[in-house]
Amino acid sequence: MRNEYELRLARESDLDGILGLIAGASAWLAGKGTDQWQRPWPDRPARDARIRAAIRAGKTWVLADGDVAVATLTADWQGYPARGLPELWSPEECAEPAVYAHRMAVRRGAEYQGRGFGGQLLDTVGRLGLCAYGAEHVRLDAWSTNYDLHTYYKGRGFDLVRIYDEEEIDCPSGALFQKPAARFRDTAAAFAVNSADAGKWSAHANAARVAEQRQAAGTEQ
């Protein structure tokens, strides 16, 4: 793997590239017979607004090969949803320090497929959360009906927590998985991670967790 590959925080100028990755993943998934990402949820403006907000909040990562966006992953340090989204994780679960992974997509094509980028992205954010604020788990919500994806996550050591019925949540991504963050401690990625961006993400995440702990302590008094 060439040393031009670098994982960095996304900038607003990366929005089109990230949308392109999602569109490419959608087309690939359609060929596999799943309905995942075949229609932006709940609609395109709302989906794009969520992506833009995550970029501005410093939660979205891009794996770049020069000017080419190779893969993306949004890593949140808080379990509560964006406005208008269902609460997939319980208040008790959200009180536990964890990394919440969303919108992982890898560019299709012989040059990029089969290199394990998706797993390495999860490994990287798991290590960041573990080091920054002692994350106990890496969590993600997967498309409820994409059973091949469920198998992929189980193969990477994620445990299925639960799957919501369609009647329970108005959201197609209702299969919840988690993996102990301690298992990411000794993992390594074949690409470089921008150290300044890693520090920035970690500082924001740690500050948010400290603020939550103080708020919780004040509420209990």
Side-chain angles (χ1 to χ4, degrees):
M1 190 176 296
R2 303 190 308 274
N3 59 11
E4 291 94 335
Y5 290 92
E6 181 189 46
L7 186 66
R8 58 171 175 77
L9 285 175
R11 301 180 284 267
E12 288 199 51
S13 59
D14 291 310
L15 178 60
D16 287 344
I18 291 172
L19 292 176
L21 288 173
I22 293 174
S26 173
W28 177 74
L29 288 166
K32 293 177 67 66
T34 176
D35 62 346
Q36 180 172 343
W37 288 358
Q38 299 311 298
R39 179 177 64 85
W41 187 89
D43 53 45
R44 188 175 301 278
R47 190 277 309 271
D48 293 357
R50 288 200 309 274
I51 295 174
R52 186 178 292 106
I55 293 173
R56 290 174 175 172
K59 298 177 179 180
T60 296
W61 292 88
V62 167
L63 179 62
D65 178 13
D67 294 330
V68 177
V70 174
T72 184
L73 172 73
T74 293
D76 205 336
W77 44 81
Q78 294 163 312
Y80 60 78
R83 182 173 298 176
L85 291 180
E87 294 187 12
L88 299 174
W89 300 93
S90 70
E92 293 76 17
E93 289 167 333
C94 290
E96 301 168 347
V99 178
Y100 296 84
H102 307 282
R103 287 189 298 276
M104 185 169 71
V106 178
R107 181 175 293 276
R108 299 295 107 191
E111 186 175 1
Y112 302 114
Q113 285 180 254
R115 294 182 176 270
F117 285 136
Q120 292 180 56
L121 288 175
L122 291 170
D123 291 347
T124 300
V125 298
R127 292 195 306 274
L128 285 173
L130 187 64
C131 295
Y133 55 93
E136 296 176 3
H137 296 95
V138 174
R139 289 173 171 159
L140 52 88
D141 54 277
W143 207 263
S144 300
T145 57
N146 190 342
Y147 303 112
D148 286 346
L149 185 59
H150 300 180
T151 300
Y152 169 79
Y153 287 130
K154 290 176 182 178
R156 294 204 61 83
F158 283 81
D159 296 317
L160 176 64
V161 178
R162 58 184 169 273
I163 300 179
Y164 286 102
D165 294 330
E166 292 183 6
E167 295 76 16
E168 294 180 276
I169 56 168
D170 181 22
C171 175
S173 191
L176 307 189
F177 291 84
Q178 68 179 17
K179 180 178 178 178
R183 296 183 186 174
F184 295 91
R185 187 184 306 276
D186 297 323
T187 60
F191 47 73
V193 180
N194 185 291
S195 58
D197 285 348
K200 186 184 301 183
W201 186 94
S202 298
H204 289 171
N206 187 54
R209 295 301 306 180
V210 170
E212 286 183 350
Q213 292 169 355
R214 290 175 177 172
Q215 182 177 5
T219 302
E220 293 172 358
Q221 292 178 356

